[in-house]
Amino acid sequence: MGQAPVVKIALSGYYGFDNSGDEAVLQSILLALQEQGQAQGVQIEPIVLSANPAKTSAMYGVRAAHRMRPGDLLRTLREADGLISGGGSLLQDATSAKTIPYYLAVLKLAQLFGKPTFVYSQGIGPVNRPMFFGWIRSVFKRCAVVTVRDQESADLLGRMRLPQERITVVPDPVMGLPLRAAARGGGESPMGGGSDAPAESAPVKRTVGVSVRFWNADRSELEALSRSLALLLAARPEVRLRFLPFHLPSDEVASQFVIDRLGDHGARAELVRGIEHPQDMLAQVEGCDLLIGMRLHSLIYAASQFVPMVGISYDPKIDQFLHRLGMKAAASTSQFDADKFAEEALRLLDGRDQWAAASRAAIEALKAQAQWPAQRIAAFYKKQPF
């Protein structure tokens, strides 16, 4: 048998910005492409468009090019045999009006060079400027595969008049991110996490992971969360908090903001620093008994490891993910009842095993489906005459 054909695929996303969630998306896509390429006899060579190509290349062992240098971008697209856009929330105009034009322009350039393009498990929206609707529709119509990470994204594309038969709803790719092999079956976390029920004579320490970010200008949501966490710690002396910053350095500052408002309870909180590789962060979440999260991928990490989660919604993407597990956010940045939030956290903390058992089938299905876009892309190139 001859050697498998080499297919160079450029990856466009929010990569190289020290955001653990988006780095987890990248790592998940790279692993899925490798697995599905091997399964179908296609050797996929990724070229990642990154804000920090040297760091991306060192971290993942792949080629990388600068996403904002026109010469690097054009050379990469000309050399590549195709382009993947995603995953993540790339096509939204809530944070900036420049985001949608950038990611669509990269897709359009690849199409002008005659390269197949693939939309990989993206979360679409919010798109508050109707002027973008026609551009998104025209670019997506020329894509070989369009996958989105929730039904709400598919519905929004439908309102943009993209034919529904062109769209496939799949999970966020991070649902398929595995622990490092050495981390599997590694026993207790450094802070004594795990699902064992506490013994009456010697309570087992339990770990609650916390992922926060700044959102409201008056920090009212973090003030309310601080009150909730103080109630949780007062009710459960065996609990310790593990703050997990997903976007460096801003989430470290937000985490310290909350810790500083816990009073004497702050002695039972730690801020985990210096985690850059997504699988290292995944291992931190896996060692928790409960995860309280504002960051979407902190909740996805928890679900993938069967750790119950309490979501704080600042964006529809939080609600959309929780909806796929039959859950709702316990609070939002605009409406936060500290007492009710603490009650929900205690309920899930005490009922971890029951939650995991009830959610297992849905989570396993999402993990399996997370491979589907990579499978389609590998199958596409398997048919091409290389």
Side-chain angles (χ1 to χ4, degrees), residues 111-181:
Q111 292 171 352
L112 289 173
F113 291 148
K115 312 296 184 176
T117 52
F118 310 92
V119 175
Y120 199 119
S121 189
Q122 283 200 29
I124 311 297
V127 181
N128 298 307
R129 299 167 176 82
M131 65 180 182
F132 289 136
F133 283 21
W135 193 10
I136 292 172
R137 180 178 65 248
S138 66
V139 172
F140 274 33
K141 275 186 174 180
R142 294 188 60 186
C143 290
V145 175
V146 175
T147 58
V148 295
R149 70 183 179 199
D150 47 61
Q151 186 58 47
E152 292 83 354
S153 294
D155 293 342
L156 177 55
L157 290 176
R159 292 196 294 276
M160 297 178 189
R161 293 188 293 115
L162 186 71
Q164 287 293 295
E165 61 270 17
R166 298 290 322 281
I167 308 164
T168 303
V169 178
V170 298
D172 188 286
V174 178
M175 281 301 299
L177 181 65
L179 288 166
R180 293 184 195 265

Side-chain angles (χ1 to χ4, degrees), residues 135-248:
W135 193 10
I136 292 172
R137 180 178 65 248
S138 66
V139 172
F140 274 33
K141 275 186 174 180
R142 294 188 60 186
C143 290
V145 175
V146 175
T147 58
V148 295
R149 70 183 179 199
D150 47 61
Q151 186 58 47
E152 292 83 354
S153 294
D155 293 342
L156 177 55
L157 290 176
R159 292 196 294 276
M160 297 178 189
R161 293 188 293 115
L162 186 71
Q164 287 293 295
E165 61 270 17
R166 298 290 322 281
I167 308 164
T168 303
V169 178
V170 298
D172 188 286
V174 178
M175 281 301 299
L177 181 65
L179 288 166
R180 293 184 195 265
R184 293 193 183 98
E188 284 193 357
S189 71
M191 292 188 61
S195 59
D196 293 337
E200 292 184 8
S201 58
V204 176
K205 288 182 180 179
R206 293 194 287 178
T207 302
V208 173
V210 184
S211 167
V212 293
R213 62 165 299 161
F214 286 127
W215 191 255
N216 292 344
D218 63 0
R219 310 303 185 220
S220 55
E221 79 286 17
L222 296 185
E223 296 278 6
L225 176 61
S226 302
R227 294 193 293 273
S228 297
L229 294 175
L231 290 169
L232 171 63
L233 291 169
R236 295 292 183 273
E238 77 279 10
V239 166
R240 293 182 67 87
L241 304 180
R242 177 184 297 170
F243 282 80
L244 301 171
F246 270 65
H247 196 310
L248 301 176

Side-chain angles (χ1 to χ4, degrees), residues 245-258:
F246 270 65
H247 196 310
L248 301 176
S250 61
D251 286 7
E252 288 185 345
V253 181
S255 296
Q256 192 63 53
F257 179 94
V258 175

Side-chain angles (χ1 to χ4, degrees), residues 255-305:
S255 296
Q256 192 63 53
F257 179 94
V258 175
I259 293 171
D260 290 344
R261 280 152 183 78
L262 293 176
D264 293 341
H265 295 302
R268 289 158 59 193
E270 73 158 350
L271 173 54
V272 178
R273 299 181 184 273
I275 295 184
E276 296 184 340
H277 197 286
Q279 286 174 301
D280 294 336
M281 183 66 83
L282 182 65
Q284 290 285 332
V285 172
E286 189 264 345
C288 295
D289 296 280
L290 177 74
L291 189 287
I292 293 171
M294 288 180 71
R295 290 287 185 187
L296 171 65
H297 284 98
S298 71
L299 303 175
I300 294 175
Y301 278 21
S304 74
Q305 300 305 310

Side-chain angles (χ1 to χ4, degrees), residues 97-110:
K98 299 177 181 178
T99 303
I100 291 175
Y102 170 79
Y103 289 109
L104 286 181
V106 175
L107 276 165
K108 187 66 175 178
L109 278 170

Side-chain angles (χ1 to χ4, degrees), residues 291-296 299 309-337 340-345 347-348 355:
L291 189 287
I292 293 171
M294 288 180 71
R295 290 287 185 187
L296 171 65
L299 303 175
M309 76 285 302
V310 186
I312 303 167
S313 178
Y314 73 94
D315 184 282
K317 65 187 180 183
I318 303 293
D319 305 286
Q320 290 158 4
F321 172 69
L322 292 171
H323 180 256
R324 298 195 74 165
L325 294 176
M327 302 178 71
K328 293 182 179 180
S332 71
T333 50
S334 60
Q335 189 170 4
F336 201 125
D337 186 315
K340 288 184 178 179
F341 188 91
E343 289 175 8
E344 177 65 4
R347 183 185 72 82
L348 284 169
W355 179 89

